[in-house]
Amino acid sequence: MGESVLRKENISDAVIRRLPRYYRQLSELRARGITRVSSLSLGREMGITASQIRQDFSCFGEFGQQGYGYHVRELCEEIGRILGVDRNHHLILVGVGHLGHALLQNFPFGKCGFTVDAAFDVAPGVIGATVNGVTVRGMGDMEAWLGKNPVDVVVLTIPREVAQSVADRLVSLGVRGFWNFTNVELSSANPEVKFENIHFADSLLTLSYRIAND
Amino acid sequence: MGESVLRKENISDAVIRRLPRYYRQLSELRARGITRVSSLSLGREMGITASQIRQDFSCFGEFGQQGYGYHVRELCEEIGRILGVDRNHHLILVGVGHLGHALLQNFPFGKCGFTVDAAFDVAPGVIGATVNGVTVRGMGDMEAWLGKNPVDVVVLTIPREVAQSVADRLVSLGVRGFWNFTNVELSSANPEVKFENIHFADSLLTLSYRIAND
DNA sequence: TAGATTGTTAATCGATTAACAATC
DNA sequence: TAGATTGTTAATCGATTAACAATC
C-alpha cells in the first residue's frame, strides 16, 4: 500500500479530470479535522459512486485498507503528488491585460505547485512594472530570458489573433505546457507539447444551453 | 431540413460541450468566406470524426444536404440558436475584484447572447463606480434590484467562503443559472438551478499532471 | 471473531465509430 | 447520370457500475 507509481498504462482523461476534485474534497475533509474516509462516504459527498472512486484510485496504487477505508491526510498527499503539487514547476505569464493581471494578483499558483518567475507583455506602459512581486518584461526579451530560465508552463492571456504565433515561438524555446485562456484551439506538431484550455465563452454557452433546455 | 427542434430526448453532456467548438469553428470558416463544408472536412480541421459530427448534429435536426454537405452560415446560425446566442439573456456579476473587473472589461458577453445589467460588491470603495458601462451596486441592494430586474445568470467572482450562501440567496430571488468562478462545488435543492464551473486550479492541476506524465 | 471496506473482476451502460441505403 | 455526402442503423469500444473474494 502507498506506492504512488503508475499501475495502469493509459489513464483516461475523465479520470485525470476527477483527480483535482478528489484533491479539493480531501483537503477540505482535512481542514475539517476528519482523518478517515471510506469510498462510500466520499462518494456520497461528491455525488460519485464508491465503485468509481475505488476504480480511479486503483489506477495509481493501493491507498486504502480493507475494513477501514482511506486515511485522509495520506490519500490527500498521495493525490497531490500524482498531480505534481510538490514538483515546484516554473511558470511565466504572457499578456498582462486585465485577465493576466487578475491571475497574477489572485490566483494561488503556489498552492498548485507553481512558481511564477516572470511576466511578459508588449505594452510599454506595463513593461518594467511589478505585479504582485512579478516583474513584467518586454516580449522581445523572451528568448534571452528563457535561455537562462527554463519554464514548464506558460500562461497565455494574450489576444487570440497572436496566440498561435506566440505559442509557436515559445515551443521553439522549449516550452512544453500551455495554460491557454485565448478562445482558440492551439496546436503543435510536437506531441509532447500539452495545451490546457480555459474557454470562457464555451463554458458560458453551455450554461446558456442548459438554462433554456433541461 | 433546417428544423432546430430537439429530436432526441437526452442530449449527453459530451455533445453539449462540443457545440460551442462547432460554433467557433463555423464562425471562423464564415469569417474566412467559406460557404460550404462537409462533415469530413470539418472533422479534419477539428480533430473529430465525420461520424461523430453527423451524430451530434442529428440530435437537433437535419441541417445538411446529401452530396453537398452543410451551408456554413446556416449551420452556424442554427447552432447559435441551439446555444441560445439569440435569446438575449440577462446577467449580473457579483464580486467586482480583479477577476470580476477583468470579465466586465474584456469578456464579450454580447457575442454570447448576454446583456450585463449590473454588478454587485460589498466593498464601499467600488460601490457606485461604473465598469465598462456597468454600475456597481451594494450587495444589500440585490433583493430590491432583482425584484425589478429578473436575470437569467449570475457570474460569481466572489471569495469561496461566501459562495454557497450568496448562491442560496440568489436562488431564493429566482436566479436559475450560475457561472461559478469560485473553486468550490455549489449546489441547490432545486434541480432547475444550473451551475457551470470554471475551476482554474483544477484546470492547471490537470496540466501539471500531463506535463509530468504522458 | 464479526463487520466493514478494500481492490479487482465481470456486467452493464453509453458514447464513438463504421457502414450503408437514401438522395441531392 | 455519376459522385459525393448526408442521416441513421449496427458494431465497437471504453467508461461506469455491480458484485465479491480478500482481508484489515
Side-chain angles (χ1 to χ4, degrees):
Chain A
M1 129 191 54
E3 34 153 311
S4 89
V5 188
L6 235 66
R7 291 148 52 91
K8 241 176 102 182
E9 260 321 300
N10 290 318
I11 314 285
S12 80
D13 189 63
V15 174
I16 297 168
R17 296 212 168 265
R18 278 193 293 270
L19 292 178
R21 280 194 65 210
Y22 292 134
Y23 186 62
R24 255 195 291 135
Q25 183 66 31
L26 290 163
S27 301
E28 206 204 299
L29 291 179
R30 244 178 119 167
R32 297 213 308 255
I34 293 164
T35 58
R36 186 197 141 182
V37 74
S38 69
S39 57
L40 197 71
S41 69
L42 186 61
R44 249 190 314 245
E45 290 178 274
M46 298 182 67
I48 287 181
T49 64
S51 246
Q52 179 157 76
I53 289 176
R54 295 204 298 277
Q55 280 279 20
D56 285 353
F57 293 170
S58 76
C59 297
F60 303 100
E62 306 189 357
F63 305 133
Q65 230 174 302
Q66 278 108 327
Y68 175 86
Y70 303 87
H71 188 66
V72 171
R73 181 176 51 72
E74 277 174 19
L75 182 59
C76 185
E77 286 171 355
E78 207 67 65
I79 294 179
R81 264 189 291 277
I82 294 165
L83 288 170
V85 168
D86 58 341
R87 281 176 194 263
N88 190 215
H89 285 127
H90 285 258
L91 169 152
I92 59 172
L93 183 145
V94 179
V96 191
H98 289 287
L99 179 58
H101 207 270
L103 289 171
L104 288 175
Q105 288 284 3
N106 282 336
F107 186 76
F109 287 101
K111 280 190 194 161
C112 294
F114 286 83
T115 299
V116 184
D117 289 329
F120 291 87
D121 203 298
V122 287
V126 289
I127 294 171
T130 297
V131 180
N132 199 13
V134 177
T135 302
V136 182
R137 301 182 141 78
M139 299 264 304
D141 298 349
M142 263 183 356
E143 275 72 9
W145 194 90
L146 281 172
K148 288 186 196 161
N149 307 271
V151 300
D152 305 289
V153 164
V154 171
V155 185
L156 285 181
T157 43
I158 54 182
R160 43 179 301 153
E161 295 75 29
V162 297
Q164 184 66 60
S165 64
V166 170
D168 290 343
R169 194 172 148 202
L170 288 159
V171 168
S172 79
L173 294 168
V175 175
R176 294 293 174 265
F178 290 91
W179 199 20
N180 173 38
F181 285 79
T182 71
N183 202 24
V184 283
E185 235 56 47
L186 300 176
S187 62
S188 167
N190 183 341
E192 262 195 9
V193 180
K194 312 294 179 195
F195 297 93
E196 169 67 18
N197 303 307
I198 300 246
H199 287 317
F200 288 106
D202 289 19
S203 171
L204 183 57
L205 287 175
T206 63
L207 181 59
S208 169
Y209 174 86
R210 288 190 293 136
I211 57 173
N213 296 274
D214 47 60
Chain B
M1 124 193 61
E3 34 156 309
S4 88
V5 188
L6 235 66
R7 290 148 53 90
K8 241 175 101 182
E9 260 320 299
N10 290 318
I11 314 287
S12 81
D13 189 65
V15 174
I16 297 169
R17 297 212 166 265
R18 278 193 293 271
L19 292 179
R21 279 194 65 210
Y22 291 135
Y23 186 62
R24 255 195 290 134
Q25 184 66 31
L26 290 164
S27 301
E28 206 204 299
L29 291 179
R30 241 178 121 168
R32 296 212 309 254
I34 294 164
T35 59
R36 185 196 142 181
V37 73
S38 69
S39 56
L40 197 72
S41 69
L42 186 60
R44 249 192 313 248
E45 289 178 273
M46 298 181 67
I48 287 182
T49 64
S51 246
Q52 177 157 78
I53 288 177
R54 294 204 299 276
Q55 281 278 19
D56 285 352
F57 293 171
S58 76
C59 297
F60 303 100
E62 305 189 357
F63 306 134
Q65 229 175 302
Q66 279 106 327
Y68 175 86
Y70 303 87
H71 188 66
V72 172
R73 181 175 51 71
E74 276 174 21
L75 182 58
C76 186
E77 287 171 356
E78 206 67 65
I79 294 180
R81 263 190 291 277
I82 294 165
L83 288 170
V85 168
D86 58 341
R87 280 176 195 263
N88 191 213
H89 283 127
H90 286 259
L91 169 150
I92 58 173
L93 183 144
V94 178
V96 191
H98 289 287
L99 179 59
H101 208 271
L103 289 171
L104 287 175
Q105 288 284 1
N106 281 338
F107 186 76
F109 286 101
K111 279 189 194 160
C112 293
F114 286 83
T115 301
V116 184
D117 290 327
F120 292 86
D121 203 298
V122 287
V126 289
I127 295 173
T130 295
V131 181
N132 200 14
V134 177
T135 302
V136 181
R137 300 181 142 80
M139 299 262 305
D141 298 349
M142 260 180 2
E143 276 73 11
W145 195 90
L146 281 173
K148 288 187 195 159
N149 307 271
V151 301
D152 304 290
V153 163
V154 171
V155 186
L156 286 181
T157 44
I158 53 183
R160 42 181 299 153
E161 296 75 28
V162 297
Q164 184 66 61
S165 64
V166 169
D168 291 342
R169 194 172 148 200
L170 288 159
V171 168
S172 78
L173 294 169
V175 175
R176 294 294 173 265
F178 290 90
W179 200 21
N180 173 38
F181 287 79
T182 71
N183 203 23
V184 283
E185 235 57 46
L186 300 176
S187 62
S188 168
N190 184 341
E192 262 195 10
V193 179
K194 312 293 179 196
F195 297 93
E196 169 68 18
N197 303 308
I198 300 245
H199 287 317
F200 289 105
D202 289 18
S203 169
L204 182 57
L205 287 175
T206 63
L207 180 59
S208 169
Y209 174 86
R210 288 190 293 137
I211 56 174
N213 296 274
D214 45 59

